[in-house]
Amino acid sequence: MKVTSSSSDGSIKLLQITDTHLFEATDGSLLSVNTCDSFQAVVDAIIKQECSYDAVLATGDISQDHSEVSYQRFEKGIIPLQKPCFWLPGNHDYKPNMSSVMPSQQIQQVEHALLGEHWQMIMLDSQVVGVPHGRLSDQQLAMLEEKLAENAERHTLILLHHHPILVGSAWLDQHTLKDSHDFWQVVDKYDNVNAVLCGHVHQDMNVTRNEVRVMATPSTCIQFKPDSDDFALDTLAPGWRELELKADGSLNTTVKRLPQGSFQPDFNSAGY
């Protein structure tokens, strides 16, 4: 699979949408936020701002209720974005129903893609069925190492649902990527990994670990309050991330959000 650059300088522009938590019912709500409406509002905002991008990344928790209809809702909802969409499963997803929309004209579910002439993208499945935390199987780790070695001349963006470093919230960090040292042991062997992109934490994270940028992105519905040991919701609005991967291996990224006050959740909720 290959994504072609639309930029004159050969850079690749990506759009990340994550943790949509869609339901079969159009009025399905997560902590009082109608996730179908908030997802649609994010898509509408992206179109309205006329941003440039070559592909869309959806990093898991597409569905909240596991239903086939929720995945069909996502598939239909991104049609106006027009560009190919790469998705992977999160802890809330049900892979048999996720695959029910495949083959899709727009959605790709692949382990590897070449991005223009200078980058590659490796998409990892960190789901452990029935639990909120993640792990990478031996097969996934072997595939990661194989692609890093096979395309040593390409800069690399790695995608997965679960956060591979701690975010500083005790309740969220219980549900991190378990055995993340196995992941980093592979990554640290190669100097062509430039960035890791995840979902799961429903907040903006952008830190550097051993010269590798590690990023997480706001959800299109509810937001988790950063640095909170106990479950807590943030007042920030739903959002998305834009990335520009440059030919020299550097990247620019921006998180954008709906207007402040949009889709406020039930702040008395003790969890979900």
Side-chain angles (χ1 to χ4, degrees), residues 67-69 71-72 75 87 94-103:
S67 65
E68 286 190 19
V69 173
Y71 295 109
Q72 293 161 6
E75 180 188 28
W87 75 3
Y94 181 56
K95 285 188 276 192
N97 282 350
M98 198 174 182
S99 63
S100 71
V101 304
M102 312 298 285

Side-chain angles (χ1 to χ4, degrees), residues 28 52 96 99 106 126 151 170 182 246 251 258:
S52 171
S99 63
Q106 195 172 3
S126 59
N151 300 282
D182 293 335
K246 295 179 170 285
L251 67 86
L258 298 179

Side-chain angles (χ1 to χ4, degrees), residues 81-204:
L81 297 180
Q82 299 184 339
K83 298 299 173 72
C85 173
F86 296 86
W87 75 3
L88 49 75
N91 52 290
H92 283 281
D93 287 309
Y94 181 56
K95 285 188 276 192
N97 282 350
M98 198 174 182
S99 63
S100 71
V101 304
M102 312 298 285
S104 165
Q105 189 169 7
Q106 195 172 3
I107 295 171
Q108 310 287 331
Q109 189 162 356
V110 299
E111 291 183 330
H112 181 257
L114 300 177
L115 305 178
E117 301 303 317
H118 305 285
W119 284 77
Q120 67 174 334
M121 179 169 65
I122 302 171
M123 303 189 71
L124 299 173
D125 179 353
S126 59
Q127 186 192 78
V128 182
V129 175
V131 296
H133 67 253
R135 288 188 193 275
L136 294 174
S137 67
D138 290 344
Q139 181 273 332
Q140 290 285 289
L141 291 168
M143 184 273 291
L144 171 63
E145 182 142 23
E146 175 189 330
K147 296 304 181 184
L148 289 175
E150 202 174 82
N151 300 282
E153 78 289 353
R154 283 183 174 264
H155 311 301
T156 304
L157 172 67
I158 299 172
L159 269 63
L160 73 168
H161 178 68
H162 293 85
H163 52 307
I165 61 172
L166 301 181
V167 295
S169 293
W171 77 272
L172 269 176
D173 287 334
Q174 297 176 79
H175 310 315
T176 185
L177 181 72
K178 302 294 185 182
D179 301 328
S180 59
H181 59 274
D182 293 335
F183 168 75
W184 289 112
Q185 191 170 35
V186 175
V187 169
D188 289 343
K189 288 165 62 176
Y190 296 88
D191 60 7
N192 58 330
V193 180
N194 301 63
V196 178
L197 186 63
C198 69
H200 193 51
V201 296
H202 290 229
Q203 59 190 243
D204 176 15

Side-chain angles (χ1 to χ4, degrees), residues 8 17 53 60 77 86 115 171 175 225 260-261:
S8 58
I17 291 174
Y53 51 92
F86 296 86
L115 305 178
W171 77 272
H175 310 315
K225 188 176 181 180
Q260 185 57 31

